[in-house]
Protein backbone atom coordinates (compact mmCIF):
# COMPACT_ATOMS: atom_id res chain seq x y z
CA UNK A 1 0.00 0.00 0.00
CA UNK A 2 1.43 3.36 -1.00
CA UNK A 3 1.64 6.36 1.32
CA UNK A 4 -0.40 8.37 -1.20
CA UNK A 5 -3.46 6.25 -0.44
CA UNK A 6 -3.25 7.09 3.26
CA UNK A 7 -2.71 10.77 2.49
CA UNK A 8 -5.79 10.97 0.29
CA UNK A 9 -8.68 12.99 1.83
CA UNK A 10 -11.05 10.25 0.62
CA UNK A 11 -9.15 7.33 2.20
CA UNK A 12 -11.46 4.53 3.33
CA UNK A 13 -10.33 2.41 6.28
CA UNK A 14 -13.32 0.09 6.70
CA UNK A 15 -14.90 -2.55 4.48
CA UNK A 16 -17.42 -5.40 4.37
CA UNK A 17 -15.96 -8.84 3.64
CA UNK A 18 -19.41 -10.32 2.92
CA UNK A 19 -20.41 -8.09 0.00
CA UNK A 20 -18.25 -9.42 -2.86
CA UNK A 21 -18.88 -13.05 -3.80
CA UNK A 22 -15.81 -14.86 -5.10
CA UNK A 23 -17.23 -18.38 -5.53
CA UNK A 24 -20.46 -20.21 -4.67
CA UNK A 25 -20.89 -23.98 -4.73
CA UNK A 26 -24.32 -23.85 -3.07
CA UNK A 27 -26.01 -21.64 -0.43
CA UNK A 28 -23.98 -23.20 2.42
CA UNK A 29 -20.63 -23.36 0.65
CA UNK A 30 -19.32 -20.06 -0.58
CA UNK A 31 -16.40 -17.64 -0.51
CA UNK A 32 -16.55 -13.88 -0.21
CA UNK A 33 -13.54 -11.60 -0.32
CA UNK A 34 -12.05 -8.31 0.77
CA UNK A 35 -9.11 -7.35 -1.44
CA UNK A 36 -7.43 -4.25 -2.81
CA UNK A 37 -10.14 -3.70 -5.41
CA UNK A 38 -12.76 -3.31 -2.68
CA UNK A 39 -10.56 -1.53 -0.11
CA UNK A 40 -7.47 0.13 -1.67
CA UNK A 41 -5.93 0.84 1.74
CA UNK A 42 -5.91 -2.83 2.78
CA UNK A 43 -2.53 -4.42 3.58
CA UNK A 44 -3.54 -8.07 3.69
CA UNK A 45 -6.54 -9.19 1.65
CA UNK A 46 -8.51 -12.26 2.66
CA UNK A 47 -11.14 -14.82 1.71
CA UNK A 48 -14.13 -15.37 4.01
CA UNK A 49 -14.91 -19.10 3.57
CA UNK A 50 -17.97 -21.12 4.66
CA UNK A 51 -17.97 -24.90 4.03
CA UNK A 52 -19.93 -27.98 5.11
CA UNK A 53 -18.59 -31.45 5.94
CA UNK A 54 -16.72 -33.12 3.08
CA UNK A 55 -16.44 -29.94 1.01
CA UNK A 56 -12.92 -28.66 0.41
CA UNK A 57 -10.92 -25.76 -0.90
CA UNK A 58 -9.45 -27.61 -3.84
CA UNK A 59 -5.70 -28.01 -4.51
CA UNK A 60 -4.03 -24.78 -5.63
CA UNK A 61 -1.06 -22.49 -5.00
CA UNK A 62 -0.29 -18.77 -4.92
CA UNK A 63 2.49 -17.22 -6.98
CA UNK A 64 2.72 -13.90 -5.13
CA UNK A 65 1.55 -14.36 -1.53
CA UNK A 66 1.95 -16.29 1.70
CA UNK A 67 -1.31 -17.43 3.27
CA UNK A 68 -2.53 -18.05 6.81
CA UNK A 69 -5.63 -20.14 7.52
CA UNK A 70 -7.47 -19.02 10.67
CA UNK A 71 -10.38 -21.14 11.90
CA UNK A 72 -13.30 -19.17 13.32
CA UNK A 73 -15.65 -22.13 13.83
CA UNK A 74 -15.76 -25.83 13.03
CA UNK A 75 -12.85 -28.11 12.22
CA UNK A 76 -10.76 -28.40 9.07
CA UNK A 77 -7.76 -30.35 7.81
CA UNK A 78 -5.07 -28.22 6.18
CA UNK A 79 -2.55 -29.95 3.92
CA UNK A 80 0.48 -28.44 2.18
CA UNK A 81 3.22 -30.04 0.09
CA UNK A 82 6.70 -29.13 1.28
CA UNK A 83 8.87 -28.87 -1.86
CA UNK A 84 12.09 -29.08 0.14
CA UNK A 85 11.38 -32.31 2.04
CA UNK A 86 9.06 -33.70 -0.69
CA UNK A 87 6.51 -34.57 1.99
CA UNK A 88 2.91 -33.63 2.71
CA UNK A 89 2.32 -31.71 5.94
CA UNK A 90 -1.22 -32.07 7.32
CA UNK A 91 -2.75 -30.33 10.35
CA UNK A 92 -6.10 -30.73 12.14
CA UNK A 93 -7.36 -27.27 13.10
CA UNK A 94 -10.03 -26.15 15.56
CA UNK A 95 -11.34 -22.64 16.33
CA UNK A 96 -8.58 -20.16 17.07
CA UNK A 97 -5.87 -22.30 15.46
CA UNK A 98 -3.93 -21.47 12.32
CA UNK A 99 -1.77 -23.04 9.63
CA UNK A 100 0.68 -21.33 7.33
CA UNK A 101 0.87 -21.89 3.57
CA UNK A 102 4.09 -20.46 2.08
CA UNK A 103 4.09 -18.77 -1.30
CA UNK A 104 4.25 -21.27 -4.14
CA UNK A 105 3.48 -24.33 -1.98
CA UNK A 106 0.67 -26.60 -3.23
CA UNK A 107 -2.14 -26.91 -0.64
CA UNK A 108 -5.81 -27.63 0.11
CA UNK A 109 -8.28 -27.55 3.05
CA UNK A 110 -10.97 -30.15 3.87
CA UNK A 111 -13.95 -29.57 6.20
CA UNK A 112 -14.32 -32.13 9.00
CA UNK A 113 -17.27 -30.65 10.94
CA UNK A 114 -20.89 -30.10 9.88
CA UNK A 115 -19.97 -26.49 9.15
CA UNK A 116 -16.73 -24.53 9.19
CA UNK A 117 -15.95 -20.83 8.87
CA UNK A 118 -12.35 -19.90 8.10
CA UNK A 119 -10.40 -16.87 6.99
CA UNK A 120 -7.69 -17.27 4.35
CA UNK A 121 -5.48 -14.24 5.00
CA UNK A 122 -2.75 -13.15 2.58
CA UNK A 123 0.28 -10.87 2.94
CA UNK A 124 -0.70 -9.11 -0.30
CA UNK A 125 -3.77 -6.93 -1.00
CA UNK A 126 -4.75 -9.28 -3.84
CA UNK A 127 -3.34 -12.82 -4.23
CA UNK A 128 -2.75 -14.64 -7.50
CA UNK A 129 -4.20 -18.16 -7.55
CA UNK A 130 -3.33 -21.14 -9.76
CA UNK A 131 -5.95 -23.89 -9.43
CA UNK A 132 -5.04 -27.54 -9.79
CA UNK A 133 -8.21 -28.03 -11.83
CA UNK A 134 -6.92 -25.63 -14.48
CA UNK A 135 -3.49 -27.26 -14.53
CA UNK A 136 -5.07 -30.69 -15.05
CA UNK A 137 -7.65 -29.74 -17.70
CA UNK A 138 -5.30 -27.50 -19.70
CA UNK A 139 -2.30 -29.84 -19.88
CA UNK A 140 -2.46 -31.69 -23.23
CA UNK A 141 -2.85 -35.44 -22.92
CA UNK A 142 0.16 -35.85 -25.23
CA UNK A 143 2.32 -33.99 -22.73
CA UNK A 144 1.22 -36.24 -19.89
CA UNK A 145 1.99 -39.30 -21.98
CA UNK A 146 5.44 -38.05 -22.94
CA UNK A 147 6.32 -36.78 -19.47
CA UNK A 148 4.93 -39.58 -17.29
CA UNK A 149 4.03 -42.45 -19.65
CA UNK A 150 0.33 -41.99 -18.85
CA UNK A 151 -2.05 -43.39 -21.45
CA UNK A 152 -3.38 -40.43 -23.43
CA UNK A 153 -6.98 -41.59 -23.60
CA UNK A 154 -7.05 -42.60 -19.93
CA UNK A 155 -5.85 -39.14 -18.96
CA UNK A 156 -8.33 -37.40 -21.25
CA UNK A 157 -11.18 -39.46 -19.76
CA UNK A 158 -10.02 -38.81 -16.18
CA UNK A 159 -9.99 -35.01 -16.57
CA UNK A 160 -13.03 -34.75 -18.87
CA UNK A 161 -15.42 -33.82 -15.97
CA UNK A 162 -13.30 -30.75 -15.18
CA UNK A 163 -14.87 -28.12 -17.42
CA UNK A 164 -13.79 -24.98 -15.55
CA UNK A 165 -11.92 -23.72 -12.50
CA UNK A 166 -13.02 -25.60 -9.36
CA UNK A 167 -12.52 -23.58 -6.18
CA UNK A 168 -14.78 -25.48 -3.75
CA UNK A 169 -15.22 -29.17 -4.43
CA UNK A 170 -16.43 -31.68 -5.13
CA UNK A 171 -18.72 -30.16 -7.79
CA UNK A 172 -22.49 -30.38 -7.32
CA UNK A 173 -23.75 -33.74 -8.61
CA UNK A 174 -20.44 -35.53 -8.11
CA UNK A 175 -21.20 -39.13 -7.09
CA UNK A 176 -17.84 -39.68 -5.41
CA UNK A 177 -17.78 -40.20 -1.64
CA UNK A 178 -15.76 -37.65 0.36
CA UNK A 179 -12.16 -38.65 0.90
CA UNK A 180 -11.46 -40.83 3.94
CA UNK A 181 -9.66 -38.61 6.42
CA UNK A 182 -10.09 -40.84 9.47
CA UNK A 183 -6.35 -41.35 9.73
CA UNK A 184 -5.98 -37.61 10.30
CA UNK A 185 -9.08 -37.21 12.48
CA UNK A 186 -7.47 -39.46 15.10
CA UNK A 187 -4.54 -37.10 15.31
CA UNK A 188 -4.00 -35.59 18.82
CA UNK A 189 -5.64 -32.21 19.20
CA UNK A 190 -4.23 -29.06 20.73
CA UNK A 191 -4.35 -28.93 24.54
CA UNK A 192 -5.57 -25.51 25.76
CA UNK A 193 -2.96 -25.35 28.53
CA UNK A 194 -0.04 -26.39 26.36
CA UNK A 195 2.62 -24.06 25.02
CA UNK A 196 1.54 -23.71 21.35
CA UNK A 197 5.18 -23.36 20.29
CA UNK A 198 6.36 -26.52 22.05
CA UNK A 199 5.20 -29.68 20.32
CA UNK A 200 6.55 -32.68 22.19
CA UNK A 201 5.77 -36.35 21.73
CA UNK A 202 3.67 -36.00 18.59
CA UNK A 203 1.25 -33.46 20.03
CA UNK A 204 -0.79 -30.97 18.03
CA UNK A 205 1.21 -29.09 15.47
CA UNK A 206 3.40 -31.94 14.34
CA UNK A 207 2.55 -32.67 10.69
CA UNK A 208 0.95 -35.92 9.66
CA UNK A 209 3.05 -37.16 6.76
CA UNK A 210 1.38 -39.51 4.32
Amino acid sequence: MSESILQSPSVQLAGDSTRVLNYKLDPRNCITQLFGDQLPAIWNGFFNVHMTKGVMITPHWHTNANEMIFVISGEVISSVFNPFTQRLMTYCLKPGQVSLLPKGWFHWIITESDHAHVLAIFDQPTPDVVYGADFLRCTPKEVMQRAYCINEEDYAKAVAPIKESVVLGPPVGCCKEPADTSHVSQYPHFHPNANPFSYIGGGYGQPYNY
Side-chain angles (χ1 to χ4, degrees):
M1 179 174 61
S2 67
E3 292 295 329
S4 61
I5 293 177
L6 294 178
Q7 294 170 8
S8 169
S10 61
V11 63
Q12 176 68 32
L13 298 179
D16 186 344
S17 69
T18 67
R19 292 186 61 185
V20 177
L21 181 67
N22 176 276
Y23 190 86
K24 182 178 180 180
L25 180 65
D26 59 45
R28 299 183 65 201
N29 294 277
C30 61
I31 301 174
T32 58
Q33 68 180 49
L34 187 61
F35 290 144
D37 288 346
Q38 293 86 53
L39 186 64
I42 198 168
W43 287 86
N44 49 354
F46 64 93
F47 284 126
N48 200 28
V49 186
H50 291 272
M51 297 184 292
T52 55
K53 187 174 179 62
V55 171
M56 68 183 296
I57 299 176
T58 60
H60 65 282
W61 66 94
H62 306 282
T63 60
N64 70 332
N66 297 295
E67 179 179 3
M68 182 179 75
I69 297 297
F70 176 81
V71 180
I72 296 176
S73 63
E75 296 183 32
V76 301
I77 295 174
S78 171
S79 294
V80 58
F81 178 72
N82 185 324
F84 298 103
T85 63
Q86 296 285 293
R87 301 186 75 179
L88 190 65
M89 304 173 68
T90 294
Y91 300 92
C92 301
L93 304 175
K94 289 186 173 183
Q97 297 173 345
V98 306
S99 67
L100 303 179
L101 307 170
K103 179 170 61 177
W105 290 27
F106 200 56
H107 58 271
W108 56 89
I109 296 97
I110 301 174
T111 314
E112 279 288 274
S113 54
D114 290 338
H115 175 264
H117 181 195
V118 305
L119 295 183
I121 306 169
F122 303 91
D123 62 357
Q124 294 290 332
T126 304
D128 292 330
V129 188
V130 181
Y131 292 108
D134 296 331
F135 175 83
L136 291 172
R137 70 189 178 91
C138 294
T139 302
K141 60 183 180 181
E142 297 82 5
V143 171
M144 286 297 188
Q145 192 283 326
R146 181 178 288 268
Y148 308 114
C149 202
I150 297 175
N151 181 277
E152 293 183 15
E153 299 312 315
D154 287 346
Y155 182 78
K157 183 178 179 180
V159 301
I162 308 174
K163 305 296 186 182
E164 59 187 5
S165 299
V166 180
V167 182
L168 294 179
V172 174
C174 179
C175 61
K176 298 285 186 180
E177 291 294 325
D180 179 13
T181 55
S182 59
H183 60 294
V184 192
S185 299
Q186 298 168 5
Y187 198 73
H189 292 303
F190 174 76
H191 191 282
N193 296 321
N195 178 352
F197 299 104
S198 179
Y199 306 122
I200 301 173
Y204 175 84
Q206 296 290 340
Y208 183 100
N209 294 296
Y210 289 106

